[in-house]
């Protein structure tokens, strides 16, 4: 297991050396190029990812065919598909790499085993899901702001200089043209 994942999880709660050792043996590292689709809408997901380096988005297309970006993940964050991670659950969204990424992955069967074998897993899982829920609430809070206030607030929480204008616009539910005007006035 990479020390970044160990530090991330240990910051959430104390971990036993047995649990750390299990994660170290279970985690697989992958270096993937920009544009890779980690998970496509409708596919069953079987892994949970931790971002060592890079940037990822989740998106879906509404009934009118309009892209809606729902989340971003960057370094030292766990990528949870919408709905959590349950065996044989289908993804509701596409998860796409926006940059070349270094990831750790753990198969959901290994996570399920950890729930049975290590007492801290349940509490740790709740804390991870709570952090993810806060990110979803953060987006909801941005969506109720006027566009001229939503963009600066977005930039306080996300690496806006690494995200394409259109992805930010689709996240904030505004037109890319409108966001371009807002950005031009800020400079």
């Amino acid at each position: 297991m990479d020390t970044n994942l160990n530090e991330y999880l240990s910051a959430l709660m104390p971990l036993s050396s047995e649990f750390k050792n299990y994660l170290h043996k279970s985690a697989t590292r992958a270096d993937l190029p920009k544009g890779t689709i980690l998970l496509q809408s409708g596919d069953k997901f079987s892994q949970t990812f931790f971002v060592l380096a890079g940037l990822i988005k989740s998106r879906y297309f509404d009934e009118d065919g309009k892209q809606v970006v729902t989340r971003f993940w960057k370094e030292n964050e766990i990528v949870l598909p919408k709905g959590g991670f349950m065996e044989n659950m289908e993804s509701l969204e596409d998860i796409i790499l926006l940059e070349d990424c270094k990831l750790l992955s753990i198969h959901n069967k290994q996570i399920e085993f950890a729930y049975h074998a290590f007492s801290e897993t349940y509490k740790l899982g709740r804390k991870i899901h709570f952090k993810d829920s806060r990110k979803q609430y953060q987006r909801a809070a941005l969506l109720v702001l006027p566009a001229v206030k939503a963009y600066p607030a977005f930039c306080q929480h996300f690496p806006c200089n690494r995200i394409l204008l259109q992805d930010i616009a689709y996240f904030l539910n505004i037109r890319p043209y409108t966001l371009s005007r807002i950005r031009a006035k800020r400079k």
Side-chain angles (χ1 to χ4, degrees):
M1 175 175 62
D2 191 276
T3 56
N4 291 11
L5 178 57
N6 187 16
E7 290 171 11
Y8 174 84
L9 296 175
S10 294
L12 295 175
M13 64 175 286
L15 304 176
S16 68
S17 58
E18 294 84 10
F19 183 77
K20 290 179 188 178
N21 189 41
Y22 176 75
L23 287 178
H24 179 73
K25 291 177 182 176
S26 301
T28 304
R29 184 177 166 150
D31 294 351
L32 299 171
K34 174 182 178 177
T36 298
I37 298 175
L38 271 185
L39 192 61
Q40 196 157 14
S41 178
D43 289 349
K44 293 181 179 178
F45 48 89
S46 60
Q47 300 178 79
T48 298
F49 296 93
F50 179 76
V51 184
L52 296 169
L55 189 64
I56 301 173
K57 76 173 179 180
S58 64
R59 61 115 191 257
Y60 69 91
F61 292 90
D62 68 13
E63 58 277 350
D64 297 325
K66 181 182 169 193
Q67 182 178 176
V68 178
V69 174
T70 60
R71 290 186 284 177
F72 295 103
W73 295 277
K74 61 186 183 323
E75 295 79 12
N76 299 314
E77 293 183 337
I78 292 180
V79 178
L80 290 181
K82 198 166 209 154
F85 58 96
M86 296 168 65
E87 195 62 34
N88 294 320
M89 186 170 181
E90 290 183 1
S91 175
L92 302 173
E93 302 175 322
D94 300 324
I95 298 179
I96 304 166
L97 306 188
L98 297 178
E99 298 175 345
D100 292 343
C101 288
K102 296 179 187 328
L103 304 171
L104 290 178
S105 67
I106 300 176
H107 195 279
N108 289 348
K109 288 184 188 235
Q110 293 168 309
I111 294 172
E112 185 179 333
F113 174 82
Y115 271 102
H116 298 291
F118 304 101
S119 61
E120 63 260 50
T121 309
Y122 180 74
K123 188 174 183 182
L124 186 59
R126 283 189 5 232
K127 289 183 180 238
I128 290 167
H129 282 280
F130 179 73
K131 280 185 82 130
D132 190 64
S133 294
R134 283 198 340 232
K135 287 184 82 163
Q136 293 176 39
Y137 172 77
Q138 188 177 53
R139 178 172 184 260
L142 290 171
L143 289 175
V144 299
L145 294 175
V148 294
K149 291 185 179 181
Y151 177 68
F154 174 89
C155 290
Q156 289 177 340
H157 300 286
F158 297 94
C160 59
N161 59 327
R162 293 168 54 193
I163 301 172
L164 293 174
L165 178 133
Q166 72 180 21
D167 284 335
I168 297 171
Y170 296 147
F171 183 85
L172 296 174
N173 196 28
I174 58 178
R175 294 183 4 236
Y177 173 78
T178 302
L179 181 57
S180 181
R181 287 192 357 245
I182 291 167
R183 286 173 63 167
K185 288 180 183 177
R186 287 190 79 212
K187 292 180 179 180

